[in-house]
Amino acid sequence: MNISRRLLGKMAAALAGATMLLPAGAGAQDKPAPFDNPGDVEIALVRYLSTGDFFQAYLSGVEKQADALGVNLRVLDSRQDAALQADMVDQAIALGVDGIIIQHGLTESMKEAAQRAVDAGIKVVAFDVNVENDAIPQIEQSDRDLARLALEQAIKDNGEEWKAGYVYVAGIAPLDRRDETWREFKEKYPGIEEAAQFGTLDNPIANSVANQARSVVTANPDIQVMFAPYDEFAKGVKIAVDEAGLSESIKIYSADVSTADISAMREPGSAWVATAATNPAVVGEVSVRALAMLLAGEEPGKSVIVPPTLITQQALNDGDIKNMDDLSAKMPQFAHADVAVPDWMPLPERD
């Protein structure tokens, strides 16, 4: 039936003397299968982490790109339950979805679940979780660059010798990649002394980290830099630093950004001076586009990397940037990533 419509369309165009011009982003016949009938396509987003502004914005990007494609989206949220996330992959397989985005998670719990999906003939991409599977493209924020940009700014602001607090939870792929850069920086700059390492993903994450950070700054009041390479970590550290009255003596460097983060960074006397980030909504869009390319028989690449942007407190204040919309408008490199964008791919409308 679809083939017949395409053939009839070609015949009609020929009889008209090829005088019709199709608009950009024309009809379904210009898209590869299965996106010539996108309403028949179903994809699932299986989430591990969902707490915080970053993940809300990521979900928004997934939803907008799915809407632009015209496909059906199911969202399955495990709320940091590794066993439940693996079960949800199996649920998606049983539902007969065409594609799955695995968002965060633990390698040990997701590796076999991801392989089961591949064995079932389902296309899979993974965002910020290493499922150790060559058939599954990895969507990344270039986590090493996120950490590098933030730490280079810390060196620029504080010199090459300072005492640091470091927030880290092992076993989460993006945090592990950021940790690799942190360890490289400590080797490169032996004057950096790590006075304390702490961290938790217990909900609510910012408040849980704040509880730990209170003890850390009390025991180590001479800490000069807090490296908190996840914005929920940075929020928690800022709470503790503010309460301790140390906002003038401690500087916070992080990764990721949201409107709430921008507001916190722009508070008078804020200790949170820099972050490096990709637009989480754009990362969500890229995740869907990479999956769509797989479904269309195209290859997005084994590693699909969204480049980050350095965002400083000074730049936010100088540009009077109040929210994510302002950030996108005044830092165009943050607003869109020209990644996984084949010619046929419809993109979400920009505000």
Side-chain angles (χ1 to χ4, degrees), residues 95-119:
L95 289 167
V97 301
D98 301 285
I100 297 174
I101 301 167
I102 299 174
Q103 181 228 296
H104 292 86
L106 306 179
T107 299
E108 56 266 29
S109 57
M110 294 312 299
K111 181 178 177 179
E112 292 183 2
Q115 184 61 55
R116 289 194 293 272
V118 171
D119 291 342

Side-chain angles (χ1 to χ4, degrees), residues 179-191:
D179 180 63
E180 291 174 12
T181 301
W182 170 241
R183 287 187 277 112
E184 289 170 2
F185 261 74
K186 287 191 297 179
E187 290 180 9
K188 182 177 180 180
Y189 300 101

Side-chain angles (χ1 to χ4, degrees), residues 40-351:
D40 293 338
V41 178
E42 187 163 13
I43 65 174
L45 171 64
V46 181
R47 313 177 83 194
Y48 179 71
L49 290 167
S50 57
T51 299
D53 297 329
F54 180 94
F55 300 105
Q56 293 174 11
Y58 176 86
L59 176 60
S60 174
V62 168
E63 291 172 337
K64 287 181 178 179
Q65 185 62 67
D67 285 345
L69 281 164
V71 302
N72 299 301
L73 171 68
R74 288 180 179 267
V75 179
L76 305 173
D77 190 350
S78 72
R79 298 188 181 276
Q80 295 163 239
D81 184 326
L84 179 57
Q85 188 187 24
D87 288 343
M88 284 179 166
V89 171
D90 290 328
Q91 289 176 34
I93 295 170
L95 289 167
V97 301
D98 301 285
I100 297 174
I101 301 167
I102 299 174
Q103 181 228 296
H104 292 86
L106 306 179
T107 299
E108 56 266 29
S109 57
M110 294 312 299
K111 181 178 177 179
E112 292 183 2
Q115 184 61 55
R116 289 194 293 272
V118 171
D119 291 342
I122 296 170
K123 301 299 183 183
V124 181
V125 300
F127 168 51
D128 270 356
V129 53
N130 181 11
V131 294
E132 299 179 352
N133 193 315
D134 290 339
I136 298 176
Q138 297 283 313
I139 315 299
E140 298 181 21
Q141 300 180 78
S142 187
D143 292 287
R144 295 174 183 86
D145 282 341
L146 284 168
R148 177 184 58 78
L149 288 171
L151 289 169
E152 284 176 349
Q153 187 64 36
I155 294 291
K156 180 179 178 181
D157 292 344
N158 303 279
E160 298 181 6
E161 294 185 9
W162 29 269
K163 184 172 285 190
Y166 175 45
V167 192
Y168 172 55
V169 175
I172 303 298
L175 297 180
D176 290 343
R177 288 190 288 264
R178 297 170 196 186
D179 180 63
E180 291 174 12
T181 301
W182 170 241
R183 287 187 277 112
E184 289 170 2
F185 261 74
K186 287 191 297 179
E187 290 180 9
K188 182 177 180 180
Y189 300 101
I192 297 175
E193 177 187 347
E194 183 182 304
Q197 178 182 311
F198 59 101
T200 178
L201 289 172
D202 291 346
N203 284 321
I205 295 171
N207 292 341
S208 298
V209 169
N211 291 336
Q212 296 180 331
R214 288 185 186 99
S215 299
V216 170
V217 298
T218 298
N220 302 276
D222 54 346
I223 281 177
Q224 299 159 278
V225 168
M226 282 285 195
F227 182 44
Y230 167 33
D231 60 344
E232 293 298 308
F233 291 168
K235 289 177 185 176
V237 170
K238 184 178 181 299
I239 291 169
V241 168
D242 287 350
E243 290 178 353
L246 295 171
S247 58
E248 292 186 2
S249 59
I250 294 177
K251 293 179 179 177
I252 302 169
Y253 299 83
S254 73
D256 307 324
V257 73
S258 69
T259 292
D261 299 344
I262 291 169
S263 178
M265 291 176 71
R266 292 197 63 190
E267 288 176 5
S270 175
W272 192 348
V273 296
T275 191
T278 56
N279 187 330
V282 171
V283 180
E285 293 173 12
V286 170
S287 299
V288 175
R289 293 203 297 266
L291 181 61
M293 290 179 69
L294 285 181
L295 289 168
E298 300 177 3
E299 181 54 62
K302 298 301 180 186
S303 183
V304 182
I305 296 176
V306 182
T309 300
L310 177 68
I311 302 159
T312 65
Q313 184 185 83
Q314 182 175 347
L316 295 175
N317 287 330
D318 290 349
D320 194 24
I321 295 170
K322 299 182 178 70
N323 52 47
M324 295 289 279
D325 289 339
D326 288 350
L327 190 62
S328 294
K330 296 183 180 182
M331 292 186 175
Q333 71 272 28
F334 185 77
H336 172 71
D338 191 20
V339 175
V341 189
D343 291 342
W344 60 267
M345 183 77 69
L347 300 177
E349 291 184 7
R350 302 295 171 189
D351 295 330

